[in-house]
C-alpha cells in the first residue's frame, strides 16, 4: 500500500543551523504518529516543511506517492490535502465562527455556502460548539477556539492532519476537551502527525511514537514499547524529564 506520507532524507537549514538533518519517516493511511522531543529539536519545523510553510533544504516529501517538494508544487492545493492546526488557533478575529469555517471552502474550494454551512454545523455539533456558530473568536475560551480551529481544518477534507502542540497554551483543565476531539478523529481513521508534550495522550493515541533530538529521529517505537522500554539512552533520558522524585521538606 502506498504510504500517505513518505519523508526521505529531509533536511532544513536556517542559515548555519541544521534544524532538520536526514529525516526518514513513512506514515501509513490511518496511522497516528506522535512526535515528541525537547524544545528546539525540530518538531515544528518538520510539520511546517510538510505543507510548504518552510522550504526544505534537501530530501523529498511524497504525498500518496507523489513528490510535493519539487519545483512547481501548488501549495494551495497541497494545503487542502494536508491540514494543519497550530498552538495559536489562527482564527480571523473579525469573523464569527461560521464565517471562519466557510472561508477556505468558499474561497479555495468554491463550494456552495449552504452546503458548506451545513457541514460546518454538523462538525460544530460533533465538537459541542453548535451554539457558538455566530460568536466571535474573542467570545470563546481557548479550548473552544482550538476546537473551532480543528473543525476549520476538517472542512477542507484533508487526507493528513498535522497538529502542532495544539494544547500548549491551554489551561490543564481544558486540555482534555481538545484532546478528546483528536482521539475521536483517530478512532474515525484520520491520518495524523501530532507534535505534543502530553505524554499520556501520546501514549493513548499514537500507533507509533517518534522521538526527535537536534534535528534527527532518535527512536521510533509503538507507544507501549517507547514508554516502558525505550531502547536509546536519549529516549530514557527524555522520559526521565517527565518524572519527579518526591521531595520532603523538613524543618530541622
Ligand atoms: P521544536 O518545535 O522542536 O521546539 P523548532 O522546529 O521550532 O523546534 O525549531 C528547531 C530549531 O530551528 C531551533 O533551534 C529553532 O531556534 C530554529 N528555528 C525555528 N524556526 C526558525 C526560523 N524561522 N529561523 C531561524 N531558526 C529557526
Amino acid at each position: 500500500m502506498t504510504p500517505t506520507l513518505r519523508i526521505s532524507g529531509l533536511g532544513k537549514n536556517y542559515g548555519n543551523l541544521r534544524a532538520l538533518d536526514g529525516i526518514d519517516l513513512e506514515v501509513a493511511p490511518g496511522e497516528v504518529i506522535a512526535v515528541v522531543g525537547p524544545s528546539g529539536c525540530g518538531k515544528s519545523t518538520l510539520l511546517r516543511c510538510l505543507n510548504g510553510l518552510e522550504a526544505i533544504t534537501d530530501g523529498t516529501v511524497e504525498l500518496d506517492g507523489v513528490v510535493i517538494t519539487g519545483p512547481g508544487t501548488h501549495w494551495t492545493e497541497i494545503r487542502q490535502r494536508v491540514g494543519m492546526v497550530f498552538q495559536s488557533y489562527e482564527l480571523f478575529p473579525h469573523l464569527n465562527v461560521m464565517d471562519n469555517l466557510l472561508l477556505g471552502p468558499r474561497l479555495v474550494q468554491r463550494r456552495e455556502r449552504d452546503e458548506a454551512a451545513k457541514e460546518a454545523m454538523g462538525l460544530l455539533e460533533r465538537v459541542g460548539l453548535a451554539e457558538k456558530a455566530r460568536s466571535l473568536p474573542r467570545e470563546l475560551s481557548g479550548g473552544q477556539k482550538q476546537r473551532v480551529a480543528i473543525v476549520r481544518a476538517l472542512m477542507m477534507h484533508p487526507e493528513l492532519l498535522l497538529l502542532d502542540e495544539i494544547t500548549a497554551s491551554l489551561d490543564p483543565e481544558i486540555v482534555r476537551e481538545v484532546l478528546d476531539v483528536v482521539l475521536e478523529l483517530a478512532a474515525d481513521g484520520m491520518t495524523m502527525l501530532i507534535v505534543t508534550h502530553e505524554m499520556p495522550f501520546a501514549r493513548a493515541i499514537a500507533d507509533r511514537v517518534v522521538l526527535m533530538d537536534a534535528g534527527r529521529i532518535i527512536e521510533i517505537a509503538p507507544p507501549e514499547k517507547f514508554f516502558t522500554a525505550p531502547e536509546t539512552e536519549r529516549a530514557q533520558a527524555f522520559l526521565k524529564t517527565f518524572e519527579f522524585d518526591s521531595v520532603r521538606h523538613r524543618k530541622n
Side-chain angles (χ1 to χ4, degrees):
M1 191 168 24
T2 310
T4 299
L5 187 71
R6 179 184 285 135
I7 304 170
S8 315
L10 178 63
K12 169 68 185 175
N13 297 351
Y14 292 112
N16 291 331
L17 177 80
R18 188 84 171 140
L20 295 177
D21 186 18
I23 300 286
D24 295 312
L25 182 67
E26 285 190 6
V27 183
E31 197 177 19
V32 177
I33 304 277
V35 182
V36 305
S39 183
C41 72
K43 305 180 296 295
S44 182
T45 302
L46 173 62
L47 293 197
R48 295 166 66 82
C49 284
L50 301 180
N51 75 346
L53 293 177
E54 298 287 356
I56 70 169
T57 306
D58 36 23
T60 55
V61 177
E62 288 168 52
L63 187 61
D64 290 328
V66 177
V67 174
I68 58 168
T69 42
T73 294
H74 294 286
W75 285 109
T76 312
E77 190 251 326
I78 299 297
R79 285 189 198 118
Q80 294 173 56
R81 297 166 59 199
V82 182
M84 187 151 173
V85 183
F86 304 87
Q87 178 181 338
S88 52
Y89 327 120
E90 311 284 337
L91 298 172
F92 285 104
H94 60 291
L95 296 180
N96 69 28
V97 165
M98 181 56 80
D99 288 337
N100 265 285
L101 296 178
L102 293 181
L103 207 57
R106 298 277 292 131
L107 284 182
V108 182
Q109 297 183 327
R110 305 268 164 215
R111 285 167 63 188
E112 291 295 326
R113 187 184 172 88
D114 286 356
E115 172 269 326
K118 201 168 158 215
E119 182 183 5
M121 214 49 209
L123 287 169
L124 284 175
E125 265 165 34
R126 268 191 58 186
V127 303
L129 291 175
E131 77 287 2
K132 300 291 185 187
R134 304 283 156 215
S135 302
L136 288 168
R138 68 163 179 272
E139 296 163 340
L140 305 180
S141 71
Q144 291 170 335
K145 275 188 270 211
Q146 198 55 291
R147 281 182 279 157
V148 171
I150 292 170
V151 168
R152 179 183 51 184
L154 296 178
M155 284 297 292
M156 306 302 269
H157 305 157
E159 53 205 275
L160 171 67
L161 205 50
L162 311 173
L163 307 183
D164 191 3
E165 296 195 33
I166 62 168
T167 59
S169 36
L170 301 178
D171 290 332
E173 65 270 30
I174 53 175
V175 163
R176 184 65 202 234
E177 70 186 40
V178 173
L179 296 186
D180 279 342
V181 170
V182 182
L183 283 164
E184 259 193 48
L185 292 179
D188 287 351
M190 177 65 78
T191 313
M192 291 188 278
L193 232 68
I194 304 176
V195 169
T196 183
H197 291 295
E198 304 282 341
M199 293 303 134
F201 170 65
R203 187 169 180 165
I205 199 169
D207 296 304
R208 288 186 295 157
V209 178
V210 169
L211 172 69
M212 290 181 63
D213 193 22
R216 292 170 180 244
I217 291 179
I218 304 295
E219 185 159 343
I220 305 181
E224 283 316 304
K225 170 102 173 57
F226 182 79
F227 288 105
T228 58
E231 278 184 6
T232 58
E233 276 181 27
R234 188 66 193 89
Q236 291 157 13
F238 174 72
L239 290 171
K240 264 224 167 299
T241 63
F242 293 91
E243 293 171 10
F244 289 92
D245 295 325
S246 67
V247 178
R248 301 266 177 271
H249 293 284
R250 242 180 278 137
K251 272 188 196 153
N252 288 321

